[in-house]
């Protein structure tokens, strides 16, 4: 049976409150998937580890990496650079492991242009009301901040049509959303468009 050797590039986007990190954490430990570690110029948040959560680098270094062609894609988001280091990403896919990029909508559109074979997934809370409730969280933020975040989320959701798949993340059911991502990837592995030499290989 011919096997597809290279891993797939899987783009996961979703507005704040979609629970991307929780869902992707469910895929940790599954050797078929590896998260790409992005580079960023933003400061680490408490608990974040350099090299695990992000490569935390200076603007100068980031711009040097861009100039050297080291970035597969990058974007400026809320005043900071974020990007996917190219060599590490390609090494993961070459090894046959599926690579997960957790990136925002603009980066996802860039990836789609450069790698049309990428599988793009938007993760959403099940309804707009749940999205709002999650953004309001414990009510520690001002109404103005919440409104800004809601407006941004609305803009991001508007891009859902540009994605191949949508996955809903219900409260407390992140494992189900992760399972849906696994299934999508499994089905994509059976795509004849992705495996154009099946007949030749079959009779070889
Ligand atoms: P945060 O600062 O909350 O970790 O991330 C902010 C946004 O940047 C999120 O939407 C996240 O998905 C996105 N992001 C993280 N890494 C990358 C990357 O390498 N490229 C792009 N385009 N976006 C990224």
């Amino acid at each position: 049976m011919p096997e597809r050797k290279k891993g797939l590039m899987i783009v996961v986007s979703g507005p704040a409150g979609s629970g991307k990190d929780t869902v992707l954490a469910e895929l940790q430990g599954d050797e078929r998937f590896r998260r790409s570690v992005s580079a960023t110029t933003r400061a680490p948040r408490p608990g974040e580890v350099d090299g695990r959560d992000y490569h935390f680098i200076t603007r100068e270094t980031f711009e040097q990496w861009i100039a050297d062609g080291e970035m597969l894609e990058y974007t400026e988001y809320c005043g900071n650079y974020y990007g996917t280091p190219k060599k590490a990403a390609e090494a993961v896919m070459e090894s046959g492991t599926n690579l997960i990029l957790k990136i925002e909508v603009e980066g996802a559109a860039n990836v789609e242009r450069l790698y049309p074979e990428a599988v793009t997934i938007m993760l959403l809370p099940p309804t707009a009301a749940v999205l709002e409730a999650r953004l309001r969280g414990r009510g520690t933020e001002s109404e103005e901040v919440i409104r800004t975040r809601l407006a941004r989320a609305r803009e991001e959701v508007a891009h859902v049509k540009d994605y191949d798949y949508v996955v809903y993340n219900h409260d407390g059911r992140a494992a189900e959303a992760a399972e849906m991502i696994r299934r999508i990837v499994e089905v994509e592995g059976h795509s004849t468009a992705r495996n154009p030499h099946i007949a030749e290989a079959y009779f070889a």
Side-chain angles (χ1 to χ4, degrees):
M1 189 185 70
E3 295 245 335
R4 183 178 41 76
K5 298 250 168 46
K6 262 187 95 176
L8 297 180
M9 182 183 287
I10 301 149
V11 171
V12 178
S13 302
S18 60
K20 286 177 299 221
D21 287 313
T22 319
V23 171
L24 295 181
E26 293 283 341
L27 294 175
Q28 246 165 33
D30 185 332
E31 76 279 1
R32 292 169 295 176
F33 295 93
R34 180 94 55 85
R35 276 277 293 277
S36 161
V37 180
S38 295
T40 183
T41 57
R42 82 150 162 75
R45 297 192 186 120
E48 283 185 332
V49 176
D50 185 39
R52 184 193 70 186
D53 300 291
Y54 280 106
H55 299 291
F56 295 101
I57 61 177
T58 62
R59 284 190 85 80
E60 291 68 38
T61 305
F62 202 107
E63 284 168 359
Q64 191 59 51
W65 287 17
I66 298 170
D68 294 344
E70 298 278 352
M71 289 303 188
L72 185 149
E73 63 77 37
Y74 69 93
T75 197
E76 215 165 349
Y77 178 92
C78 297
N80 285 300
Y81 279 126
Y82 292 84
T84 306
K86 193 191 254 170
K87 280 201 198 96
E90 288 180 344
V92 170
M93 291 184 289
E94 282 301 330
S95 76
T97 304
N98 299 307
L99 179 76
I100 298 187
L101 308 182
K102 188 199 81 174
I103 57 183
E104 46 59 66
V105 291
E106 202 177 298
N110 290 335
V111 169
E112 184 79 51
R113 264 192 298 279
L114 293 165
Y115 296 80
E117 71 279 16
V119 182
T120 57
I121 302 174
M122 183 172 275
L123 193 67
L124 291 181
T127 64
V130 174
L131 170 67
E132 180 161 351
R134 288 188 193 167
L135 284 182
R136 288 185 180 280
R138 280 168 293 179
T140 47
E141 268 154 325
S142 71
E143 189 59 28
E144 195 193 331
V145 168
I146 288 168
R147 275 184 198 287
T148 310
R149 294 174 75 192
L150 274 170
R152 168 139 204 124
R154 190 176 268 274
E155 277 172 31
E156 288 173 341
V157 176
H159 287 272
V160 68
K161 62 181 186 324
D162 303 326
Y163 286 72
D164 298 320
Y165 296 94
V166 61
V167 171
Y168 296 101
N169 180 24
H170 296 265
D171 286 338
R173 288 160 56 187
E176 280 174 36
E179 185 52 30
M180 189 56 74
I181 293 176
R182 278 199 195 89
R183 287 194 211 161
I184 289 168
V185 172
E186 199 181 333
V187 167
E188 285 285 342
H190 287 264
S191 147
T192 52
R194 282 186 192 288
N195 301 278
H197 305 297
I198 296 172
E200 294 96 302
Y202 194 79
F203 289 112

